[in-house]
Amino acid sequence: MVDEKIMVEKRNRKLLDMLIKKIESEYRNDVDFIGLTGSCKSGDFDKYSDLDLVIIKSDDSDKWFNMCFINEYDDLDVGYDFYTMDWKYIASKVGSTWASHIIDVEPVWYASEEVENRWNNLKKKAEENIKQPITKDKIESAEENLDRAKRYFTDLMISDKTEDKKTLLSEMLMELTDVICLLNNTYYTYGIKQRIQEIEKMKCPNNFSELYWNAIKADSDVDIKNYAQEVLKSTSIFFKNVKDSIVKIKLPSADSVRGSYEELVSNYKNKVRRAVENNDIQLAVLASCCIQEYIEEMTEECGMPEFNIGKYLDLDNLSKLSDGFRELEEVYLAEYKKLGIQADRRCIK
């Protein structure tokens, strides 16, 4: 094993020297920085490992360096892919699950002292981001990952092919582990090879490791669906708990709430009336959906009380929806009264 690692290190040194010579001779004004990352930087490599590099192009250059080949030495067929990225792209890794591409990178070549200072400032920014308490921006990033996981779950549930379900399940699990990583305000050190091992060291949803492995090992369509649902539900609850503890609940104010009751009545009251009077099930269902979206928006953006109109949606007795809407009106009018707002009522003939 020791000889194997020595062999890989020698091979990588040759490749790195070759790459630097090529850049200095052909891309001297186009490349700013080369840094070592990945398993060969962390030490978690073997004879099959490639050489992972961060290569940043100059802002002033339109040329993109790329070198992709397969090394047939010892019949291992190890593939290598060296390519440039711009400063904007690498800066986007600050605060992401892939901040290791900045924080843990070992610089091996700078185009100038100015570039060295720029890199050090970027690394400092990434390190300071990790030290800070989790922010609303990080919560929003985690929510984006969670939303993508839900879309993969939806596709999984309607897929007819087991192989597609497994692929979608894997995509969903990748997004969910990113949610957890972001909510822990940290990043991956070892990439996908040790993804769950790194996650297990973080604060996680209840039984996440067990649910994750159940999902990974699921083979039948039924098991894939069931375990996918369980791990998604567990992570969703975890996300909500963290979000509620970080994002302060907004308190309603006269300026933010004024007009909300009138908009509720204007957009939805007549729809509810028509649905009930005509026993229109489709309109009742769709109107309820729109009403609930409005309620949740007003709760999140303005601090209005939570309310679930769906509790009043009884397809065998649509009149209950009218009762629910009246209760919702009373809730909004009660908030108006607390804030000293008069509903804007006019009599126009």
Side-chain angles (χ1 to χ4, degrees):
M1 184 66 178
V2 175
D3 290 341
E4 182 180 285
K5 287 208 167 189
I6 292 175
M7 177 196 73
V8 174
E9 288 173 342
K10 287 183 177 179
R11 183 180 68 204
N12 287 344
R13 186 69 254 176
K14 288 182 180 179
L15 287 169
L16 194 54
D17 289 344
M18 177 187 73
L19 177 66
I20 291 174
K21 286 180 181 179
K22 184 174 183 64
I23 285 176
E24 288 185 333
S25 62
E26 300 179 31
Y27 295 87
R28 189 65 180 82
N29 297 321
D30 305 300
V31 174
D32 276 353
F33 174 87
I34 304 173
L36 179 64
T37 186
S39 60
C40 290
K41 167 61 173 64
S42 66
D44 182 39
F45 64 89
D46 56 29
K47 63 183 179 181
Y48 303 111
S49 298
D50 64 346
L51 181 62
D52 294 311
L53 298 174
V54 172
I55 308 175
I56 306 176
K57 68 178 282 293
S58 168
D59 289 334
D60 298 327
S61 173
D62 293 327
K63 294 175 68 175
W64 295 81
F65 170 78
N66 183 277
M67 181 188 294
C68 186
F69 63 93
I70 297 171
N71 186 7
E72 296 180 338
Y73 180 77
D74 279 353
D75 295 323
L76 295 178
D77 283 353
V78 177
Y80 295 85
D81 185 15
F82 303 140
Y83 58 91
T84 48
M85 57 193 76
D86 58 27
W87 283 99
K88 182 179 179 180
Y89 174 80
I90 196 67
S92 72
K93 301 304 176 185
V94 173
S96 79
T97 58
W98 295 106
S100 61
H101 284 70
I102 302 174
I103 296 174
D104 297 333
V105 167
E106 178 185 336
V108 295
W109 185 85
Y110 298 105
S112 65
E113 184 177 342
E114 181 183 356
V115 170
E116 182 177 3
N117 291 333
R118 184 176 183 180
W119 174 260
N120 288 335
N121 288 334
L122 180 62
K123 182 176 180 179
K124 182 179 178 181
K125 181 179 179 181
E127 290 172 336
E128 289 176 347
N129 181 277
I130 293 298
K131 296 175 183 177
Q132 298 299 318
I134 189 169
T135 62
K136 184 179 178 182
D137 288 344
K138 196 68 68 79
I139 294 291
E140 290 175 351
S141 294
E143 192 163 20
E144 290 175 2
N145 288 101
L146 184 59
D147 287 342
R148 284 194 292 271
K150 291 175 180 177
R151 289 196 291 272
Y152 285 129
F153 176 74
T154 301
D155 290 343
L156 181 157
M157 295 299 286
I158 63 176
S159 174
D160 294 326
K161 297 180 179 179
T162 301
E163 59 268 29
D164 290 343
K165 285 184 172 66
K166 289 182 177 180
T167 300
L168 291 164
L169 174 63
S170 300
E171 297 277 13
M172 188 191 81
L173 291 174
M174 293 277 279
E175 297 292 347
L176 294 181
T177 49
D178 280 354
V179 170
I180 295 170
C181 188
L182 286 166
L183 295 180
N184 279 267
N185 203 28
T186 187
Y187 61 92
Y188 302 118
T189 301
Y190 298 105
I192 65 171
K193 285 193 296 185
Q194 298 188 40
R195 174 69 63 97
I196 187 59
Q197 288 79 6
E198 291 197 74
I199 288 293
E200 286 171 342
K201 297 176 182 178
M202 304 176 193
K203 185 177 180 181
C204 293
N206 291 335
N207 302 320
F208 183 82
S209 182
E210 178 183 352
L211 295 173
Y212 178 94
W213 283 113
N214 285 341
I216 286 286
K217 296 175 182 178
D219 199 40
S220 70
D221 286 2
V222 173
D223 283 347
I224 291 172
K225 288 181 177 181
N226 288 341
Y227 289 130
Q229 183 176 5
E230 288 184 20
V231 72
L232 177 59
K233 182 178 179 180
S234 177
T235 308
S236 297
I237 293 172
F238 177 72
F239 170 80
K240 185 178 186 306
N241 290 340
V242 175
K243 180 180 179 180
D244 290 347
S245 68
I246 300 298
V247 180
K248 293 182 179 179
I249 299 174
K250 290 187 177 180
L251 296 177
S253 66
D255 288 339
S256 65
V257 168
R258 184 177 284 106
S260 60
Y261 169 72
E262 291 84 350
E263 184 176 355
L264 175 72
V265 171
S266 172
N267 288 339
Y268 306 114
K269 189 166 186 174
N270 283 338
K271 292 181 177 64
V272 171
R273 284 172 172 164
R274 291 191 186 99
V276 173
E277 290 175 3
N278 299 319
N279 197 32
D280 189 334
I281 293 175
Q282 184 222 204
L283 180 56
V285 170
L286 297 183
S288 297
C289 174
C290 294
I291 293 168
Q292 191 60 41
E293 286 182 349
Y294 178 74
I295 294 169
E296 291 174 2
E297 179 184 350
M298 292 304 302
T299 299
E300 183 172 351
E301 299 297 326
C302 304
M304 290 294 274
E306 294 182 351
F307 191 93
N308 192 342
I309 195 68
K311 292 193 303 182
Y312 301 90
L313 182 60
D314 183 345
L315 300 186
D316 294 323
N317 186 3
L318 292 185
S319 63
K320 290 182 180 180
L321 185 59
S322 290
D323 297 337
F325 194 86
R326 278 194 294 271
E327 286 190 32
L328 177 59
E329 286 186 80
E330 292 302 320
V331 168
Y332 272 53
L333 287 173
E335 290 300 311
Y336 265 36
K337 185 176 181 180
K338 290 178 187 176
L339 297 168
I341 305 172
Q342 290 289 330
D344 189 348
R345 301 180 186 275
R346 308 181 188 187
C347 185
I348 302 173
K349 294 184 180 181

